[in-house]
């Protein structure tokens, strides 16, 4: 059974590319552009990995990561945060994420990071 990845990014172009690349790598991808109800989506989808954009038009990926890590059913799931703001004073590890990928990102880097985090679990 393919590993499941939940992707949240409000940039539809990035969402489409990530969905295509990960689907090509034989992952089952659930991609969404809205953070509304994302914790329930995660509980229902039961992903093996979550990828969150940091700065969303309707939320913050860091705060969502904290919610995931605080939830008993979801806390074991590794989280990657995408951010175009890596060099600002943001303490990404404080959110509980396992990895941070700077935007723009290399697709091979994304696939390698996903594979390394899923294999560990």
């Amino acid at each position: 059974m393919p590993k499941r990845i939940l992707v949240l990014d409000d940039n539809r172009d990035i969402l489409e590319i990530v969905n295509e690349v990960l689907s090509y790598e034989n992952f089952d991808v659930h991609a969404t552009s809205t953070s509304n109800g994302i914790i329930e989506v995660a509980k229902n989808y039961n992903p093996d990995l979550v990828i969150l954009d940091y700065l969303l038009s309707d939320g913050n990926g860091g705060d969502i990561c904290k919610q995931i890590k605080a939830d008993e059913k979801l806390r074991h799931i590794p989280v990657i945060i995408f951010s175009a703001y890596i060099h600002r004073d943001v303490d990404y590890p404080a959110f509980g994420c396992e990895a941070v990928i700077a935007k723009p990102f290399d697709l091979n880097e994304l696939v390698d990071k996903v594979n390394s985090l899923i294999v560990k679990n």
Side-chain angles (χ1 to χ4, degrees):
M1 184 159 111
K3 297 288 186 173
R4 298 169 152 229
I5 301 175
L6 175 60
V7 183
L8 169 60
D9 197 311
D10 58 0
N11 181 318
R12 292 206 181 259
D13 292 334
I14 291 175
L15 200 61
E16 190 174 310
I17 290 167
V18 170
N19 187 11
E20 252 182 68
V21 168
L22 294 176
S23 294
Y24 179 80
E25 294 290 326
N26 296 315
F27 292 107
D28 180 4
V29 180
H30 180 94
T32 184
S33 62
T34 179
S35 64
N36 188 24
I38 194 68
I39 299 302
E40 284 306 310
V41 170
K43 287 180 180 180
N44 292 329
Y45 183 62
N46 194 26
D48 296 290
L49 178 83
V50 176
I51 301 174
L52 302 170
D53 183 19
Y54 177 69
L55 194 57
L56 299 159
S57 60
D58 65 347
N60 177 291
D63 292 338
I64 294 167
C65 182
K66 283 183 179 178
Q67 291 174 31
I68 289 169
K69 296 303 183 177
D71 188 284
E72 184 136 344
K73 184 176 179 186
L74 303 175
R75 70 173 47 137
H76 70 283
I77 300 170
V79 176
I80 296 172
I81 293 180
F82 280 153
S83 181
Y85 304 98
I86 296 297
H87 303 293
R88 296 214 179 144
D89 292 334
V90 177
D91 184 9
Y92 293 97
F95 299 124
C97 63
E98 281 70 21
V100 178
I101 296 179
K103 286 181 178 178
F105 54 90
D106 179 82
L107 294 175
N108 290 325
E109 175 191 6
L110 172 65
V111 171
D112 290 347
K113 186 59 69 180
V114 166
N115 280 321
S116 72
L117 289 172
I118 287 184
V119 167
K120 289 179 186 177
N121 292 315

